[in-house]
Amino acid sequence: MPEQIRVDDEILLQRSFDTPAEVVHELVHQNLEHLGRFLAWARPDYDVEGVRAFQQAGRERWNESGEHGYSIFYRDEYAGAIGMRGFDSPVGAASIGYWLSAHLQGNGIMTRSVSALIRLGFETYDLNQVIIRAAPANGRSRAIPERLGFVETGIERQMAKNVKGEFLDLVIYSLLRSEWQG
Amino acid sequence: MTEWPDPPRLVVVDDDTELRPVFEVPSETLYALIDRNRDYLGEFLDFATPEYALEHAVRYADQSRENWGRKGEQAYAIVHRRRPAGTIGMHRYGSRNRAVEIGYWLDAGLQGSGIMTRSVAKLTEVAFEQLGVNQVNISADVANGRSRAVAERVGFRFDGVTRQWLLNAKGKLADMARYSLLRTEWEENRT
Protein backbone atom coordinates (compact mmCIF):
# COMPACT_ATOMS: atom_id res chain seq x y z
CA MET A 1 0.00 0.00 0.00
CA PRO A 2 1.12 3.60 -0.46
CA GLU A 3 3.40 5.18 2.14
CA GLN A 4 1.03 8.09 2.36
CA ILE A 5 -2.70 8.46 1.69
CA ARG A 6 -4.30 11.87 1.27
CA VAL A 7 -7.86 11.32 2.53
CA ASP A 8 -9.02 14.91 1.97
CA ASP A 9 -7.95 18.51 2.69
CA GLU A 10 -7.84 17.85 6.42
CA ILE A 11 -6.70 14.25 6.80
CA LEU A 12 -3.43 12.59 5.87
CA LEU A 13 -2.43 8.98 6.60
CA GLN A 14 1.27 8.17 6.89
CA ARG A 15 3.05 4.89 7.60
CA SER A 16 2.92 4.53 11.38
CA PHE A 17 6.64 3.87 11.78
CA ASP A 18 7.46 7.20 10.12
CA THR A 19 5.96 9.08 13.10
CA PRO A 20 8.43 9.90 15.92
CA ALA A 21 7.85 7.47 18.80
CA GLU A 22 7.73 10.39 21.26
CA VAL A 23 4.75 11.89 19.43
CA VAL A 24 2.83 8.61 19.55
CA HIS A 25 3.76 8.10 23.18
CA GLU A 26 2.50 11.52 24.20
CA LEU A 27 -0.91 11.15 22.60
CA VAL A 28 -1.37 7.59 23.87
CA HIS A 29 -0.64 8.80 27.39
CA GLN A 30 -3.13 11.64 27.10
CA ASN A 31 -5.67 8.97 26.14
CA LEU A 32 -4.77 6.12 28.49
CA GLU A 33 -8.12 5.97 30.20
CA HIS A 34 -10.03 6.36 26.96
CA LEU A 35 -8.05 3.64 25.14
CA GLY A 36 -7.58 1.22 28.03
CA ARG A 37 -11.29 0.43 28.20
CA PHE A 38 -11.05 -1.51 24.95
CA LEU A 39 -7.36 -2.01 24.11
CA ALA A 40 -4.95 -4.24 26.03
CA TRP A 41 -1.76 -2.39 25.13
CA ALA A 42 -2.75 1.09 26.42
CA ARG A 43 -1.05 0.59 29.78
CA PRO A 44 0.50 3.23 32.05
CA ASP A 45 3.90 1.54 31.58
CA TYR A 46 3.72 1.74 27.77
CA ASP A 47 6.87 3.82 27.28
CA VAL A 48 8.71 5.31 24.30
CA GLU A 49 10.75 2.12 23.98
CA GLY A 50 7.51 0.15 23.80
CA VAL A 51 6.29 2.40 21.00
CA ARG A 52 9.60 1.90 19.15
CA ALA A 53 9.33 -1.88 19.46
CA PHE A 54 5.77 -1.72 18.14
CA GLN A 55 6.88 0.45 15.23
CA GLN A 56 9.71 -1.93 14.38
CA ALA A 57 7.28 -4.85 14.35
CA GLY A 58 5.00 -2.73 12.17
CA ARG A 59 7.84 -2.12 9.71
CA GLU A 60 8.46 -5.87 9.44
CA ARG A 61 4.78 -6.66 9.04
CA TRP A 62 4.47 -3.96 6.39
CA ASN A 63 7.09 -5.70 4.30
CA GLU A 64 6.48 -9.32 5.10
CA SER A 65 2.86 -9.98 5.89
CA GLY A 66 1.07 -7.17 4.13
CA GLU A 67 -0.23 -5.60 7.32
CA HIS A 68 -0.30 -1.83 6.95
CA GLY A 69 -0.42 0.56 9.89
CA TYR A 70 -0.91 4.29 9.39
CA SER A 71 -0.76 7.35 11.63
CA ILE A 72 -3.70 9.70 11.17
CA PHE A 73 -2.91 13.41 10.90
CA TYR A 74 -5.81 15.86 11.21
CA ARG A 75 -4.88 19.39 10.13
CA ASP A 76 -1.23 18.36 10.57
CA GLU A 77 -1.82 17.18 14.13
CA TYR A 78 -1.16 13.54 15.09
CA ALA A 79 -4.65 12.21 15.89
CA GLY A 80 -4.52 8.42 16.16
CA ALA A 81 -3.90 5.31 14.09
CA ILE A 82 -5.57 3.03 11.58
CA GLY A 83 -4.39 -0.26 10.15
CA MET A 84 -5.47 -2.81 7.61
CA ARG A 85 -4.46 -6.45 7.36
CA GLY A 86 -5.42 -9.67 5.63
CA PHE A 87 -4.16 -8.90 2.13
CA ASP A 88 -2.92 -12.49 2.04
CA SER A 89 -6.43 -13.84 2.71
CA PRO A 90 -7.36 -16.59 0.22
CA VAL A 91 -10.89 -15.16 0.05
CA GLY A 92 -9.89 -11.49 -0.19
CA ALA A 93 -11.10 -10.54 3.28
CA ALA A 94 -9.13 -7.77 5.02
CA SER A 95 -9.85 -6.19 8.38
CA ILE A 96 -9.46 -2.63 9.63
CA GLY A 97 -8.68 -1.50 13.18
CA TYR A 98 -8.29 2.02 14.57
CA TRP A 99 -8.15 4.43 17.49
CA LEU A 100 -8.61 8.19 17.72
CA SER A 101 -7.68 10.73 20.38
CA ALA A 102 -10.72 11.58 22.52
CA HIS A 103 -10.29 15.32 21.98
CA LEU A 104 -10.70 14.95 18.21
CA GLN A 105 -13.75 12.73 18.16
CA GLY A 106 -16.92 13.98 16.52
CA ASN A 107 -15.20 15.47 13.47
CA GLY A 108 -15.77 12.53 11.15
CA ILE A 109 -12.03 11.87 11.05
CA MET A 110 -12.26 8.13 11.49
CA THR A 111 -15.24 7.65 9.22
CA ARG A 112 -13.41 9.47 6.42
CA SER A 113 -10.17 7.55 7.06
CA VAL A 114 -11.86 4.15 7.11
CA SER A 115 -13.79 5.06 4.00
CA ALA A 116 -10.54 5.92 2.18
CA LEU A 117 -8.96 2.58 3.08
CA ILE A 118 -12.07 0.70 1.96
CA ARG A 119 -11.98 2.46 -1.41
CA LEU A 120 -8.32 1.60 -1.83
CA GLY A 121 -8.93 -2.01 -0.80
CA PHE A 122 -11.78 -2.55 -3.24
CA GLU A 123 -10.52 -0.47 -6.15
CA THR A 124 -6.79 -1.12 -6.07
CA TYR A 125 -6.23 -4.33 -4.12
CA ASP A 126 -9.16 -6.35 -5.39
CA LEU A 127 -10.51 -7.21 -1.95
CA ASN A 128 -13.82 -9.05 -1.69
CA GLN A 129 -14.76 -7.80 1.75
CA VAL A 130 -13.69 -5.60 4.65
CA ILE A 131 -14.24 -6.61 8.27
CA ILE A 132 -14.32 -4.37 11.35
CA ARG A 133 -14.44 -5.62 14.94
CA ALA A 134 -15.42 -3.57 17.97
CA ALA A 135 -16.29 -4.27 21.59
CA PRO A 136 -20.07 -4.32 22.19
CA ALA A 137 -19.85 -1.39 24.64
CA ASN A 138 -17.68 0.71 22.33
CA GLY A 139 -20.49 2.70 20.76
CA ARG A 140 -18.27 5.23 19.01
CA SER A 141 -16.21 2.56 17.32
CA ARG A 142 -19.30 0.63 16.28
CA ALA A 143 -20.91 3.74 14.84
CA ILE A 144 -18.25 3.87 12.13
CA PRO A 145 -19.03 0.60 10.31
CA GLU A 146 -22.72 1.25 10.91
CA ARG A 147 -22.47 4.66 9.27
CA LEU A 148 -20.55 3.17 6.34
CA GLY A 149 -23.20 0.53 5.59
CA PHE A 150 -21.51 -2.53 7.10
CA VAL A 151 -23.65 -5.51 8.11
CA GLU A 152 -23.41 -6.81 11.67
CA THR A 153 -22.91 -10.56 11.24
CA GLY A 154 -22.24 -11.84 14.76
CA ILE A 155 -19.84 -11.75 17.65
CA GLU A 156 -16.57 -13.37 18.67
CA ARG A 157 -16.75 -14.10 22.35
CA GLN A 158 -13.85 -13.26 24.65
CA MET A 159 -11.57 -12.55 21.70
CA ALA A 160 -9.99 -9.38 23.10
CA LYS A 161 -8.83 -8.03 26.42
CA ASN A 162 -8.87 -4.58 27.96
CA VAL A 163 -6.04 -3.03 29.91
CA LYS A 164 -7.25 -4.69 33.13
CA GLY A 165 -6.91 -8.09 31.49
CA GLU A 166 -10.68 -8.61 31.35
CA PHE A 167 -12.05 -10.46 28.36
CA LEU A 168 -14.05 -8.51 25.81
CA ASP A 169 -16.39 -9.84 23.16
CA LEU A 170 -16.08 -8.38 19.67
CA VAL A 171 -18.97 -7.50 17.39
CA ILE A 172 -18.18 -8.40 13.78
CA TYR A 173 -19.16 -6.15 10.92
CA SER A 174 -18.49 -6.83 7.27
CA LEU A 175 -18.96 -5.04 3.98
CA LEU A 176 -18.85 -7.01 0.75
CA ARG A 177 -17.57 -5.49 -2.43
CA SER A 178 -21.01 -6.14 -3.95
CA GLU A 179 -22.61 -4.03 -1.20
CA TRP A 180 -20.16 -1.17 -1.37
CA GLN A 181 -21.76 2.06 -2.55
CA GLY A 182 -18.46 3.60 -3.67
CA MET B 1 -0.42 -20.70 31.07
CA THR B 2 1.59 -19.88 27.99
CA GLU B 3 3.12 -23.25 27.19
CA TRP B 4 1.10 -25.77 25.22
CA PRO B 5 1.32 -29.24 26.77
CA ASP B 6 1.89 -32.16 24.41
CA PRO B 7 -1.44 -33.39 23.11
CA PRO B 8 -2.30 -37.03 23.79
CA ARG B 9 -1.29 -39.46 21.05
CA LEU B 10 -4.29 -41.62 21.72
CA VAL B 11 -7.77 -40.37 22.61
CA VAL B 12 -10.30 -43.09 23.38
CA VAL B 13 -13.78 -41.93 22.36
CA ASP B 14 -15.75 -45.11 23.05
CA ASP B 15 -15.37 -48.89 22.75
CA ASP B 16 -15.34 -48.69 18.95
CA THR B 17 -13.73 -45.33 18.29
CA GLU B 18 -10.38 -43.72 18.97
CA LEU B 19 -8.39 -40.76 17.71
CA ARG B 20 -4.81 -41.24 16.55
CA PRO B 21 -2.37 -38.80 14.94
CA VAL B 22 -3.26 -38.61 11.28
CA PHE B 23 0.34 -39.45 10.31
CA GLU B 24 0.08 -42.82 12.07
CA VAL B 25 -2.56 -43.91 9.56
CA PRO B 26 -1.28 -44.98 6.12
CA SER B 27 -1.78 -42.09 3.71
CA GLU B 28 -3.04 -44.55 1.10
CA THR B 29 -5.90 -45.56 3.40
CA LEU B 30 -6.80 -41.97 4.21
CA TYR B 31 -6.62 -41.01 0.55
CA ALA B 32 -8.91 -43.90 -0.44
CA LEU B 33 -11.43 -42.68 2.12
CA ILE B 34 -11.26 -39.11 0.84
CA ASP B 35 -11.52 -40.31 -2.73
CA ARG B 36 -14.67 -42.25 -1.91
CA ASN B 37 -16.19 -39.19 -0.21
CA ARG B 38 -14.76 -36.59 -2.55
CA ASP B 39 -18.01 -35.35 -3.99
CA TYR B 40 -19.80 -34.94 -0.69
CA LEU B 41 -16.75 -33.41 1.06
CA GLY B 42 -16.26 -30.93 -1.76
CA GLU B 43 -19.66 -29.40 -1.04
CA PHE B 44 -18.46 -28.00 2.26
CA LEU B 45 -14.66 -28.23 2.50
CA ASP B 46 -11.84 -26.65 0.59
CA PHE B 47 -9.34 -29.48 0.16
CA ALA B 48 -11.43 -32.17 -1.56
CA THR B 49 -11.02 -30.77 -5.07
CA PRO B 50 -11.16 -32.94 -8.22
CA GLU B 51 -7.35 -32.68 -8.29
CA TYR B 52 -6.82 -33.99 -4.75
CA ALA B 53 -4.39 -36.90 -5.09
CA LEU B 54 -2.43 -39.32 -2.94
CA GLU B 55 0.52 -36.94 -2.86
CA HIS B 56 -1.67 -34.33 -1.15
CA ALA B 57 -2.62 -36.83 1.54
CA VAL B 58 1.07 -37.67 2.01
CA ARG B 59 1.97 -33.97 2.30
CA TYR B 60 -0.87 -33.42 4.76
CA ALA B 61 0.45 -36.24 6.92
CA ASP B 62 3.98 -34.83 6.80
CA GLN B 63 2.78 -31.35 7.76
CA SER B 64 0.69 -32.76 10.57
CA ARG B 65 3.70 -34.60 11.95
CA GLU B 66 5.77 -31.43 11.78
CA ASN B 67 3.11 -29.27 13.47
CA TRP B 68 1.99 -31.85 15.99
CA GLY B 69 1.44 -30.17 19.35
CA ARG B 70 2.87 -26.91 18.14
CA LYS B 71 0.83 -24.12 19.70
CA GLY B 72 -2.33 -26.08 20.00
CA GLU B 73 -2.26 -27.69 16.59
CA GLN B 74 -2.94 -31.37 16.10
CA ALA B 75 -4.67 -33.50 13.49
CA TYR B 76 -6.20 -36.86 14.34
CA ALA B 77 -7.63 -39.64 12.26
CA ILE B 78 -10.91 -40.97 13.61
CA VAL B 79 -10.41 -44.72 13.77
CA HIS B 80 -13.70 -46.60 14.04
CA ARG B 81 -13.58 -50.37 14.45
CA ARG B 82 -9.92 -50.22 13.45
CA ARG B 83 -10.63 -48.40 10.20
CA PRO B 84 -10.06 -44.73 9.42
CA ALA B 85 -13.49 -43.08 9.28
CA GLY B 86 -12.59 -39.39 8.97
CA THR B 87 -10.41 -36.75 10.60
CA ILE B 88 -10.75 -34.29 13.44
CA GLY B 89 -8.20 -31.59 14.08
CA MET B 90 -7.49 -28.60 16.22
CA HIS B 91 -5.58 -25.39 15.60
CA ARG B 92 -5.26 -21.99 17.20
CA TYR B 93 -8.05 -19.52 16.58
CA GLY B 94 -7.10 -15.86 16.74
CA SER B 95 -3.80 -14.60 18.04
CA ARG B 96 -4.47 -14.48 21.76
CA ASN B 97 -6.65 -15.67 24.59
CA ARG B 98 -5.82 -19.32 24.08
CA ALA B 99 -8.65 -20.19 21.76
CA VAL B 100 -8.68 -23.17 19.41
CA GLU B 101 -10.88 -24.24 16.55
CA ILE B 102 -11.93 -27.82 15.91
CA GLY B 103 -12.64 -29.03 12.37
CA TYR B 104 -13.86 -32.44 11.25
CA TRP B 105 -15.33 -34.67 8.57
CA LEU B 106 -16.70 -38.20 8.57
CA ASP B 107 -17.21 -40.95 6.01
CA ALA B 108 -20.73 -40.49 4.58
CA GLY B 109 -21.48 -44.17 5.22
CA LEU B 110 -20.91 -43.78 8.96
CA GLN B 111 -22.99 -40.69 9.53
CA GLY B 112 -25.98 -40.77 11.83
CA SER B 113 -24.40 -43.03 14.42
CA GLY B 114 -23.11 -40.34 16.78
CA ILE B 115 -19.44 -41.01 16.03
CA MET B 116 -18.69 -37.38 15.27
CA THR B 117 -20.70 -35.95 18.14
CA ARG B 118 -18.84 -38.20 20.57
CA SER B 119 -15.47 -37.43 18.96
CA VAL B 120 -16.03 -33.67 19.11
CA ALA B 121 -17.23 -33.91 22.72
CA LYS B 122 -14.13 -35.91 23.63
CA LEU B 123 -11.67 -33.63 21.88
CA THR B 124 -13.36 -30.61 23.46
CA GLU B 125 -12.81 -32.24 26.84
CA VAL B 126 -9.14 -32.82 25.99
CA ALA B 127 -8.79 -29.17 24.96
CA PHE B 128 -10.21 -27.83 28.22
CA GLU B 129 -8.84 -30.38 30.64
CA GLN B 130 -5.46 -31.33 29.21
CA LEU B 131 -4.48 -28.41 27.00
CA GLY B 132 -5.86 -25.62 29.18
CA VAL B 133 -7.64 -23.68 26.45
CA ASN B 134 -10.03 -20.86 27.26
CA GLN B 135 -12.46 -21.54 24.47
CA VAL B 136 -13.17 -23.93 21.61
CA ASN B 137 -14.63 -22.75 18.32
CA ILE B 138 -16.29 -24.60 15.48
CA SER B 139 -17.26 -23.20 12.13
CA ALA B 140 -19.31 -24.89 9.46
CA ASP B 141 -20.84 -23.93 6.15
CA VAL B 142 -24.24 -22.40 6.98
CA ALA B 143 -25.82 -24.98 4.65
CA ASN B 144 -24.07 -27.93 6.33
CA GLY B 145 -26.84 -28.96 8.69
CA ARG B 146 -25.15 -32.16 9.86
CA SER B 147 -21.94 -30.43 10.84
CA ARG B 148 -23.82 -27.65 12.62
CA ALA B 149 -25.93 -30.20 14.46
CA VAL B 150 -22.77 -31.76 15.92
CA ALA B 151 -21.66 -28.41 17.40
CA GLU B 152 -25.16 -27.76 18.73
CA ARG B 153 -25.49 -31.20 20.31
CA VAL B 154 -22.16 -30.84 22.10
CA GLY B 155 -23.44 -27.58 23.62
CA PHE B 156 -21.66 -24.96 21.54
CA ARG B 157 -23.32 -21.55 21.20
CA PHE B 158 -24.09 -20.03 17.83
CA ASP B 159 -22.24 -16.70 17.59
CA GLY B 160 -23.16 -15.59 14.09
CA VAL B 161 -21.90 -15.87 10.57
CA THR B 162 -18.74 -14.88 8.73
CA ARG B 163 -19.72 -14.13 5.20
CA GLN B 164 -18.01 -15.46 2.06
CA TRP B 165 -15.28 -17.02 4.15
CA LEU B 166 -14.45 -20.40 2.63
CA LEU B 167 -13.77 -21.17 -1.00
CA ASN B 168 -14.95 -24.77 -1.12
CA ALA B 169 -13.76 -27.43 -3.54
CA LYS B 170 -16.69 -26.69 -5.85
CA GLY B 171 -15.52 -23.11 -6.20
CA LYS B 172 -18.29 -21.60 -4.11
CA LEU B 173 -17.55 -18.84 -1.60
CA ALA B 174 -19.46 -20.07 1.44
CA ASP B 175 -20.80 -18.28 4.50
CA MET B 176 -19.66 -19.95 7.71
CA ALA B 177 -21.73 -20.41 10.85
CA ARG B 178 -19.54 -19.89 13.91
CA TYR B 179 -19.96 -21.60 17.26
CA SER B 180 -18.03 -21.28 20.51
CA LEU B 181 -17.88 -22.88 23.91
CA LEU B 182 -16.20 -21.03 26.76
CA ARG B 183 -14.30 -22.63 29.59
CA THR B 184 -16.79 -21.15 32.08
CA GLU B 185 -19.69 -22.79 30.22
CA TRP B 186 -17.81 -26.06 30.00
CA GLU B 187 -17.19 -26.10 33.74
CA GLU B 188 -20.81 -25.24 34.43
CA ASN B 189 -22.03 -28.11 32.26
CA ARG B 190 -19.77 -30.57 34.02
CA THR B 191 -21.19 -30.00 37.48
Side-chain angles (χ1 to χ4, degrees), chain B residues 39-60:
Chain B
D39 194 52
Y40 127 77
L41 294 176
E43 292 288 337
F44 300 123
L45 300 173
D46 52 359
F47 73 92
T49 60
E51 295 77 32
Y52 191 86
L54 175 58
E55 60 181 293
H56 297 105
V58 172
R59 200 181 310 151
Y60 174 64

Side-chain angles (χ1 to χ4, degrees), chain A residues 139-160:
Chain A
R140 280 190 175 271
S141 186
R142 296 179 61 172
I144 286 160
E146 286 168 7
R147 215 174 281 142
L148 291 172
F150 280 59
V151 176
E152 186 182 326
T153 67
I155 64 166
E156 288 182 340
R157 300 195 294 160
Q158 299 194 355
M159 267 297 148

Side-chain angles (χ1 to χ4, degrees), chain B residues 89-164:
Chain B
M90 188 189 288
H91 60 87
R92 279 180 89 187
Y93 181 81
S95 56
R96 49 174 98 86
N97 300 345
R98 214 177 176 80
V100 292
E101 182 170 76
I102 290 180
Y104 45 81
W105 62 266
L106 187 70
D107 185 4
L110 290 171
Q111 291 187 335
S113 52
I115 295 173
M116 194 52 90
T117 299
R118 289 193 295 277
S119 298
V120 169
K122 191 70 194 179
L123 194 57
T124 300
E125 179 188 311
V126 167
F128 283 122
E129 300 197 345
Q130 296 185 43
L131 304 177
V133 307
N134 177 59
Q135 70 174 282
V136 179
N137 294 262
I138 289 175
S139 63
D141 189 315
V142 291
N144 190 351
R146 279 187 178 273
S147 184
R148 297 182 62 169
V150 168
E152 286 161 13
R153 271 196 295 270
V154 179
F156 281 64
R157 204 189 90 165
F158 177 60
D159 285 340
V161 166
T162 40
R163 300 191 296 164
Q164 301 194 0

